Amino acid sequence: MADKEATVYIVDVGKSMGERRNGREVTDLEWAMQYIWDRITTTVASGRKMAQLGVIGLKTDGTDNELGDESHFSNLSVLSPINQFLMSDIRQLGEQVKPSNNDKGDAISALILAIQMIITHCKKLKWKRKIVLITNGMGRMNSENLEDIVEKVKEDSIELIILGPDFDDPEYGTKEENKDPRKAENEALLRTISEQCDGVFGTLQQAVEEMEIPRVKAVRPVASFKGFLQLGDPKEYDTAVRIPVERYPRTMVAKPPTASQFVLRSDLAEQQGDGPDSSATIPETQPEEGSALTSVRNLRTYQVNDESAPGGKIDIERDDLAKGYEYGRTAVHISEIDTNITTMETTAALELVGFIQNERYDRYMHLSNTNIIIAQRPNDKAALALSSFIHALFELESYAVARLVTKENKPPLMVLLAPSIEPEYECLLEVQLPFAEDVRTYRFPPLDKVITVSGKVVTQHRNLPSDDLQEAMDKYVDSMEMMDTDEDGDLVEAPFPIEDSFSPVLHRVNAAIRSRAINPKDPIPPPAKILTQFSQPSEHLLQNAEGPLKQLIEVADVKKVPPKAKGRKRARSPEKPLSGLDVDALLSQEKRVKIPPNNAIPEFKQTLASAETIETARDAVAQMRCIIEDQIRHSLGDANYDRVVEGLGVVREELIAFEEPGLYNEWLRGLKGDLLGERLGGERRELWWLIRRGKLGLIEKRESEVSDVGEDEARGFLAAK
């Protein structure tokens, strides 16, 4: 369970915060709000109800707080009490945070008010408490009773962070020249309070710059298995070994947030006259107050064909359906009663099956993320037993193979257990192994030799690299080594440390969501440099590889491929041979226009390649249509289905390149009607299913600009049965 958190942000909105200083393009308040918005949106994105926060405005025009009757607490306003922040709260806060018309207000009093808010909200319960104060240090500050404030902050374990524009920070290297004496005095006072409270005091510049560094989410692991690591059956043998263990994830895939489905609220949709289709989605009856959107949930209906029913279909309940499993090209249904037969009765356990030497295991056998196996906590006897087992594996340089069942009646998994010994920490690393059905064997020809049909081994061949080419490639690969070497030639730390590499997709999506939440109409800012720093090779590597690359190009005789000619095929003149002679003209041979069925695909391609008029292309397509329909009509079962699908694919691809998609679309519409109407040798619905699976539907506009078929029409045509 995540910890409860309560954070209060104190934002200086005084008149002086609305000024631009030291050549910055933004005001001090806008600069400060960059940090505040980043922290708030990160909390909102977590979706945790117990990660709550409040906001206090310092130096506001009015006074709105529970201690406002006292003069010291004037010009302080609680912009938001401590609660769970939502999108509506972000919108409201954005309208409230504006520069005021005065610089009256005490930052120390605002600190006291924040402490009071935390005490009232958290009481004596276990909460993580934090106060963040951002001010430029202008105006008067009351330095009385500082000892009581420091004592209270320490007593309630409140983390205090104080930041300010142009605050002096020798460690970071910032110092404001010609600083106002009052600001320097206030800075010293705030620094003293922060140091006495064991808090953080720094310049706002550092905080804003560190915003670009993605924050790694700390996750509290949850045990996925608690049971026994056992060797032998304890029910039959007294000598069986059982060690209580727990299983936790070691590595997990972090995925970016997924998009949610929303529709315009029904009351707003009626006003705008553009509401969603109520038959497809059902809006929630209680949308969030102040939001123009509401989430939707899907409504599924199940239908079967019935000629006697209106519309040819009837609705059925989901309980009347049976589960279907695809077995080859056949759908096999299993009733609810028979599913009990398929359930394997298993007992939760981690049972050792055997052992294997380290060098006999290949790393590519991994099928899952890595987990760790530790002894039951707290169980000293189990920890000692597991430690003995770990050290035995380590000393024998072996891995253990085990059968894992995480819960009762769950399918078993075969896992590999590897020892991991670190200072003051020992565990077993666990990863899933494949079953025999999971292994796919592929055979490829050797890379260093060519074996002829007669069995002769050839080591010098045009498809094999020569010694010079091999040497040039070795030098080029070595020049791209990302590890640096010292004077002695030993490898040192790489210039690409793994701790500085972050997932661009994950953090870019999160940053875009935060930006859009704050500024719905502004363009999304470009990605941070830290996310794109590894997208291109460094200049150092490019310079090292420049020489070996040139040598490799020369040895390999690399030539530039001429660009592919664009435009319609029929608009280009036929390609002439290198000799410049027209062989057909010399031999007085007529170009072939008859496409034989036994060599249809190559002849069809040649005919289109030499076609100069649309009539020639139409005639070629008509011949292919007759050939393919004849193959369907005389097919014994599905004997010719693969040839038909291949032929359709070639015709589709060639007509896209020829920029005549209408010929294919017209043919396919007629072919679909003939197949479903059983006019091509009987029932051929399985062939239409193969055409759909091969995505050989209508040619749409995004595939050919001259097509008049839209994406929705193409999808509907292919989806219809």
Side-chain angles (χ1 to χ4, degrees):
M1 180 178 178
D3 295 328
K4 300 177 182 179
E5 299 179 4
T7 305
V8 176
Y9 294 95
I10 305 174
V11 185
D12 189 342
V13 295
K15 183 178 180 180
S16 58
M17 289 287 288
E19 300 177 2
R20 295 180 174 85
R21 304 176 188 274
N22 297 325
R24 289 188 290 268
E25 297 180 356
V26 295
T27 64
D28 289 352
L29 181 57
E30 292 172 344
W31 200 29
M33 288 306 297
Q34 291 181 15
Y35 174 79
I36 297 294
W37 285 131
D38 179 76
R39 305 305 302 175
I40 290 178
T41 52
T42 301
T43 303
V44 174
S46 67
R48 293 170 47 202
K49 292 185 177 180
M50 301 313 295
Q52 303 182 0
L53 53 91
V55 181
I56 297 176
L58 170 63
K59 301 177 184 176
T60 57
D61 290 327
T63 302
D64 184 10
N65 64 81
E66 59 182 1
L67 304 177
D69 296 338
E70 302 181 19
S71 59
H72 294 299
F73 296 92
S74 59
N75 298 103
L76 300 178
S77 299
V78 178
L79 304 180
S80 175
I82 299 178
N83 60 357
Q84 182 191 8
F85 247 58
L86 302 175
M87 280 296 300
S88 57
D89 299 310
I90 293 179
R91 298 280 190 267
Q92 182 179 359
L93 183 62
E95 297 176 356
Q96 292 176 324
V97 179
K98 306 292 181 183
S100 64
N101 297 319
N102 66 80
D103 278 326
K104 297 179 180 179
D106 183 12
I108 307 300
S109 300
L111 188 60
I112 297 174
L113 180 59
I115 296 173
Q116 177 66 25
M117 289 175 60
I118 290 179
I119 294 174
T120 304
H121 183 77
C122 302
K123 300 181 176 61
K124 295 295 183 179
L125 302 177
K126 186 178 180 181
W127 286 71
K128 283 187 175 180
R129 309 159 194 231
K130 181 189 295 185
I131 297 177
V132 179
L133 169 62
I134 299 183
T135 177
N136 59 2
M138 306 297 288
R140 296 182 178 276
M141 294 187 185
N142 187 3
S143 59
E144 299 179 358
N145 302 323
L146 292 183
E147 295 80 3
D148 298 336
I149 297 176
V150 172
E151 182 180 356
K152 193 61 179 177
V153 169
K154 289 185 176 181
E155 179 183 346
D156 291 347
S157 301
I158 299 176
E159 181 183 359
L160 179 61
I161 300 176
I162 301 177
L163 303 173
D166 303 317
F167 277 11
D168 295 342
D169 190 344
E171 296 182 0
Y172 188 69
T174 58
K175 183 178 181 181
E176 184 181 16
E177 302 294 340
N178 302 321
K179 188 186 295 289
D180 182 90
R182 174 170 291 179
K183 180 178 181 180
E185 181 181 350
N186 291 337
E187 271 191 47
L189 177 61
L190 294 174
R191 184 187 296 273
T192 301
I193 296 175
S194 176
E195 293 175 352
Q196 293 180 354
C197 295
D198 299 327
V200 177
F201 180 89
T203 179
L204 184 61
Q205 179 180 351
Q206 180 181 3
V208 173
E209 290 180 355
E210 291 181 353
M211 283 168 43
E212 293 188 352
I213 302 176
R215 287 178 290 274
V216 180
K217 182 180 180 181
V219 180
R220 179 174 295 179
V222 178
S224 55
F225 169 76
K226 291 185 178 181
F228 292 93
L229 171 64
Q230 57 190 41
L231 177 61
D233 190 352
K235 296 181 180 179
E236 297 184 9
Y237 306 101
D238 297 336
T239 57
V241 178
R242 301 184 76 195
I243 304 175
V245 295
E246 298 178 1
R247 177 176 182 252
Y248 293 91
R250 183 182 180 94
T251 58
M252 295 290 289
V253 177
K255 298 180 180 180
T258 57
S260 303
Q261 293 180 338
F262 291 93
V263 294
L264 198 63
R265 279 172 38 195
S266 57
D267 52 348
L268 297 179
E270 293 175 358
Q271 297 175 8
Q272 298 182 9
D274 188 20
D277 186 2
S278 59
S279 63
T281 57
I282 302 178
E284 291 184 353
T285 56
Q286 295 180 353
E288 180 185 343
E289 183 179 356
S291 175
L293 300 176
T294 180
S295 58
V296 298
R297 69 176 188 269
N298 295 326
L299 174 64
R300 290 187 176 91
T301 58
Y302 300 91
Q303 296 178 332
V304 295
N305 296 329
D306 188 353
E307 297 179 356
S308 61
K313 295 183 179 180
I314 59 174
D315 295 341
I316 59 175
E317 298 294 334
R318 191 178 189 280
D319 297 337
D320 297 334
L321 300 175
K323 289 185 177 180
Y325 298 88
E326 187 177 6
Y327 185 74
R329 296 178 181 175
T330 307
V332 180
H333 72 277
I334 298 179
S335 62
E336 195 72 25
I337 299 176
D338 295 336
T339 54
N340 296 328
I341 302 175
T342 63
T343 303
M344 185 176 182
E345 296 183 1
T346 56
T347 304
L350 180 59
E351 302 173 345
L352 293 175
V353 175
F355 302 90
I356 184 175
Q357 291 294 319
N358 297 0
E359 65 272 7
R360 296 183 58 189
Y361 178 76
D362 297 322
R363 293 290 296 271
Y364 65 81
M365 303 287 282
H366 290 5
L367 284 187
S368 67
N369 296 324
T370 309
N371 300 286
I372 62 171
I373 305 294
I374 62 174
Q376 186 184 55
R377 302 180 301 175
N379 189 332
D380 295 339
K381 185 177 180 181
L384 181 60
L386 185 63
S387 177
S388 301
F389 180 69
I390 293 172
H391 280 267
L393 290 177
F394 181 78
E395 293 173 3
L396 296 177
E397 298 182 352
S398 301
Y399 296 150
V401 180
R403 177 180 182 270
L404 173 64
V405 179
T406 56
K407 290 184 180 179
E408 187 176 357
N409 294 332
K410 269 204 165 188
L413 303 175
M414 296 302 296
V415 297
L416 184 79
L417 304 178
S420 176
I421 301 176
E422 300 177 6
E424 300 182 358
Y425 184 77
E426 298 175 352
C427 68
L428 288 172
L429 301 180
E430 175 254 296
V431 68
Q432 182 180 348
L433 294 176
F435 289 100
E437 294 82 358
D438 300 322
V439 178
R440 299 289 185 270
T441 303
Y442 301 96
R443 293 185 177 181
F444 298 95
L447 300 176
D448 57 345
K449 57 186 175 181
V450 174
I451 302 177
T452 63
V453 179
S454 61
K456 182 180 179 180
V457 178
V458 179
T459 57
Q460 299 292 332
H461 192 270
R462 59 185 177 84
N463 293 335
L464 297 178
S466 62
D467 294 339
D468 294 338
L469 180 58
Q470 189 68 46
E471 182 181 357
M473 179 60 73
D474 291 341
K475 292 181 179 179
Y476 176 59
V477 173
D478 292 340
S479 67
M480 294 188 295
E481 176 62 59
M482 293 188 294
M483 293 290 290
D484 290 337
T485 56
D486 55 14
E487 297 178 354
D488 299 332
D490 298 330
L491 294 178
V492 296
E493 185 178 357
F496 302 103
I498 189 65
E499 60 270 11
D500 291 340
S501 61
F502 302 92
S503 171
V505 175
L506 173 65
H507 298 290
R508 175 59 175 157
V509 172
N510 288 332
I513 293 175
R514 292 197 299 267
S515 175
R516 180 61 72 222
I518 302 169
N519 304 307
K521 299 181 180 180
D522 294 347
I524 297 176
K529 292 183 179 180
I530 195 171
L531 296 180
T532 59
Q533 61 177 341
F534 298 144
S535 61
Q536 297 292 336
S538 65
E539 293 294 333
H540 174 68
L541 286 178
L542 293 177
Q543 292 176 0
N544 288 346
E546 185 177 359
L549 179 59
K550 290 182 179 179
Q551 183 181 0
L552 178 62
I553 293 175
E554 294 176 359
V555 175
D557 193 20
V558 178
K559 298 179 180 179
K560 186 176 181 180
V561 178
K564 185 177 180 181
K566 299 181 180 180
R568 302 191 178 190
K569 283 189 175 181
R570 63 171 183 270
R572 304 199 312 268
S573 59
E575 296 182 2
K576 295 182 179 181
L578 297 177
S579 62
L581 300 177
D582 190 344
V583 180
D584 290 339
L586 292 175
L587 300 178
S588 300
Q589 294 180 351
E590 296 182 359
K591 295 184 178 180
R592 292 172 293 180
V593 294
K594 181 68 175 178
I595 299 178
N598 57 353
N599 194 30
I601 292 178
E603 295 288 349
F604 175 73
K605 289 184 176 180
Q606 292 178 10
T607 303
L608 283 191
S610 60
E612 299 181 0
T613 62
I614 186 62
E615 287 75 15
T616 305
R618 289 182 184 274
D619 180 65
V621 173
Q623 294 187 58
M624 284 296 293
R625 178 173 183 174
C626 294
I627 293 172
I628 290 178
E629 290 181 353
D630 191 60
Q631 291 174 348
I632 299 173
R633 188 176 293 108
H634 296 90
S635 176
L636 183 60
D638 61 352
N640 292 338
Y641 285 2
D642 291 340
R643 297 176 60 189
V644 171
V645 171
E646 182 184 7
L648 279 175
V650 171
V651 174
R652 190 178 192 274
E653 181 181 352
E654 290 296 317
L655 289 180
I656 290 176
F658 201 78
E659 296 190 1
E660 284 295 339
L663 297 178
Y664 178 81
N665 293 340
E666 179 183 358
W667 173 20
L668 190 63
R669 289 189 177 99
L671 179 63
K672 176 184 177 181
D674 293 341
L675 289 176
L676 301 184
E678 301 183 2
R679 292 189 289 272
L680 291 176
E683 202 277 326
R684 301 292 185 183
R685 291 182 177 271
E686 184 178 354
L687 176 58
W688 177 245
W689 179 83
L690 291 175
I691 294 174
R692 293 173 58 202
R693 190 180 70 171
K695 298 181 180 179
L696 301 177
L698 300 176
I699 301 174
E700 52 187 273
K701 291 182 179 179
R702 64 182 177 86
E703 296 177 287
S704 177
E705 296 180 356
V706 296
S707 175
D708 57 354
V709 177
E711 183 177 356
D712 295 338
E713 181 183 353
R715 187 185 299 111
F717 175 83
L718 202 59
K721 299 181 180 179

